[in-house]
Amino acid sequence: DMISGFGINPANPDHVIVTDWMDCFITRDGGKTWDSAHTRSAEPPGRRGKGMRWINTGLVVTTVWHYYLDPFEPNRHYIAYTDIGFARSTDAGQTWYWQTGRPLRNTTYELAFDPATPGKIWGAFADLHDIPNNNVISGRHYRPQAAGGMGVSTDFGVTWKDTSTGLPPKPITSVVVDPTSSKDNRTLYASAFEDGVYKSTDGGQSWMKKSAGLGAPGINVRACRIIRHRDGTLFCLVTALRKDGEFVAQGPGLYRSKDGGESWQWINQSQPLLWP
């Protein structure tokens, strides 16, 4: 990040506020120690280190893609953040544990909860934030080398294991679980930005590409969201691509699969959408 501004208290020059791209920091002792201004510790005074709980002050300015309540333990809450990772709470959102590090990436786009196993969660992670915000669509901070991955947790999001075998090195923006699949070998679907849809039939241990008929291969397969209807129908949204300031007509739209992702049909062909 980069420093974007600072201010000094004229009555006390040791009291300085520094801001960067996404945060604000305060020192009251001339820079010897610093505190984040967007959170305050919920731990006893003096405690520092991993596993701390934090209370948000409202200064975080970023996108929350989803806010989840755990289906088995409703006091457990989860936030899928853009740019600043992932947060979880064990007291219904009063205090928070902030988490980063692989397989967690800079952005958490979605979580999917196992319908029968408490604490088992899959996460869609990426190194590129703001999909499908105009920052990405217009290429302002788009990075073609930006990667992502899938992770699984079996302890309510406390720890995560990478489960990306077979996925491309692309941002993973969505994940859904088929609740009718075997408890021991769940069927999952994931969207890979610029590379379509992938399917797992072994709980995420391995993935296979399932994108026949999706988008415009070689032009735009910017899959950014998957939804599974309760009758098993899958829907995938392919979002926009701009080149030289113009929207590319081939690819974007809403697609549907009725055969578990084996084939996809463009369902808004009669009403094309350049930036869905």
Side-chain angles (χ1 to χ4, degrees), residues 75-95:
N75 279 339
R76 293 184 183 270
H77 293 191
Y78 310 90
I79 298 178
Y81 271 120
T82 209
D83 201 36
I84 55 175
F86 168 75
R88 62 183 178 86
S89 172
T90 58
D91 55 14
Q94 296 182 64
T95 60

Side-chain angles (χ1 to χ4, degrees), residues 61-146:
V61 183
T62 189
T63 302
V64 171
W65 296 111
H66 296 280
Y67 189 109
Y68 299 94
L69 275 64
D70 191 272
F72 296 96
E73 298 188 13
N75 279 339
R76 293 184 183 270
H77 293 191
Y78 310 90
I79 298 178
Y81 271 120
T82 209
D83 201 36
I84 55 175
F86 168 75
R88 62 183 178 86
S89 172
T90 58
D91 55 14
Q94 296 182 64
T95 60
W96 294 90
Y97 297 94
W98 221 298
Q99 295 176 226
T100 57
R102 299 295 176 94
L104 297 165
R105 306 289 185 117
N106 116 342
T107 295
T108 303
Y109 278 104
E110 277 191 9
L111 303 179
F113 297 84
D114 190 285
T117 305
K120 192 169 189 179
I121 310 169
W122 290 272
F125 307 120
D127 293 329
L128 179 64
H129 57 271
D130 283 358
I131 300 170
N133 182 293
N134 193 43
N135 285 328
V136 171
I137 301 305
S138 296
R140 287 201 292 263
H141 71 205
Y142 169 70
R143 294 179 291 116
Q145 74 275 16

Side-chain angles (χ1 to χ4, degrees), residues 16 29 39 51 64 70 75 79 97 99 122 129 133 155 172-173 181 190 192 203 205 214 216 234 251 257 259 271 276:
V16 181
D29 54 15
T39 58
V64 171
D70 191 272
N75 279 339
I79 298 178
Y97 297 94
Q99 295 176 226
W122 290 272
H129 57 271
N133 182 293
D155 55 10
I172 304 302
T173 54
S181 57
Q205 297 181 64
L214 188 70
L234 298 171
S257 175
D259 55 10
Q271 179 58 63

